[in-house]
Amino acid sequence: MDSNEREPAEAVAPPPPRAPGMAGLPAPYRVVAALALGVVAAAACSHLGLVFLHVAPANTLSKEHARTVDGWIYPEFEQNWKLFAPNPLQQNIAVQVRAEVRPWTGGEPVTTAWRDLTAEDGAAIRHSLLPSHTEQNELRRAWDFFTGSHDEDAKPNGERGELSEEYLRRIALDRIGPDLREEGRVLRIQLRSATTAVAAPKWSTEKTDTQTYYRELPWWRA
């Protein structure tokens, strides 16, 4: 046979197509993916179950596991039905904060001006097609949680008083802390609410006091 003549190469069969989805993964990856999906599904079902027990009428199961349910729901997942109340809220409540800062250069601590956190949240969601749920509700729900667990003198009236105070303090520090970092160390913060009644419509004869009333809380250590 002529050395220049070569036998035709055998045709190589194309590899079989890979199965779609998880079935196409190697065995170890399939196990890891299945475990991850199982954990996510269990967490989602547990969350939905606890929320259901929280909003459902009181029953034997919800009473027996009340501590577990409350520990999971409060404060981040608290539910309320104020939108459907017979007499909805007719006030605008703004939460404001100021801080006492010790300058890095030394000297006496300086108290900042009041900062309107509620106005900042409103500006962040205004004209937004997909407003953030956190920007709409986090601060408002934290304030409602605090006022619902404290009396007019800012003293806790239940077991959740300390939790609500810590939650509100943490939110305020997260908002103002980064902006004050270059000025100095935040020593204390103070919050207050500015409550203004919504004016009656022009066609109504109702008289409404639209003066703004403030409620200041004690100073809290940062």
Side-chain angles (χ1 to χ4, degrees):
M1 178 182 294
D2 189 347
S3 60
N4 294 328
E5 295 181 4
R6 303 177 186 273
E7 295 183 0
E10 296 182 1
V12 178
R18 196 182 76 172
M22 289 177 53
L25 297 174
Y29 293 99
R30 288 202 301 270
V31 173
V32 173
L35 290 175
L37 289 176
V39 171
V40 172
C45 292
S46 299
H47 173 72
L48 292 176
L50 291 170
V51 171
F52 173 79
L53 290 176
H54 175 68
V55 300
N59 55 74
T60 303
L61 191 60
S62 63
K63 292 178 180 178
E64 181 179 354
H65 301 284
R67 184 178 296 273
T68 301
V69 173
D70 289 347
W72 177 259
I73 293 297
Y74 295 107
E76 282 83 0
F77 304 117
E78 184 180 2
Q79 309 290 313
N80 73 86
W81 304 99
K82 289 184 178 179
L83 177 63
F84 306 101
N87 186 22
L89 291 176
Q90 298 179 352
Q91 298 173 326
N92 289 322
I93 302 176
V95 179
Q96 303 171 350
V97 63
R98 64 178 177 178
E100 187 179 82
V101 181
R102 183 180 297 279
W104 297 121
T105 55
E108 294 297 322
V110 177
T111 301
T112 66
W114 287 103
R115 177 170 166 179
D116 195 329
L117 300 180
T118 300
E120 293 177 3
D121 284 352
I125 67 175
R126 191 171 291 113
H127 307 305
S128 174
L129 296 178
L130 298 172
S132 166
H133 178 77
T134 300
E135 291 172 344
Q136 294 182 77
N137 297 307
E138 180 185 59
L139 181 63
R140 179 181 61 83
R141 294 301 304 129
W143 183 258
D144 287 347
F145 184 28
F146 179 86
T147 56
S149 57
H150 288 72
D151 59 21
E152 292 298 323
D153 296 325
K155 295 181 180 179
N157 54 21
E159 297 180 354
R160 294 183 292 160
E162 184 177 349
L163 173 63
S164 65
E165 180 178 320
E166 174 63 23
Y167 184 50
L168 185 60
R169 186 186 67 87
R170 188 174 73 240
I171 291 174
L173 281 174
D174 286 344
R175 301 284 185 91
I176 67 173
D179 295 336
L180 297 175
R181 189 174 298 140
E182 295 183 0
E183 298 182 19
R185 184 166 68 91
V186 178
L187 302 177
R188 301 188 302 170
I189 63 170
Q190 184 182 30
L191 288 98
R192 74 176 183 182
S193 64
T195 303
T196 308
V198 177
K202 296 181 179 179
W203 47 263
S204 175
T205 58
E206 180 182 356
K207 301 297 181 181
T208 305
D209 180 9
T210 57
Q211 180 180 347
T212 301
Y213 294 90
Y214 297 94
R215 176 188 177 184
E216 293 188 3
L217 302 184
W219 284 91
W220 294 338
R221 289 188 179 277

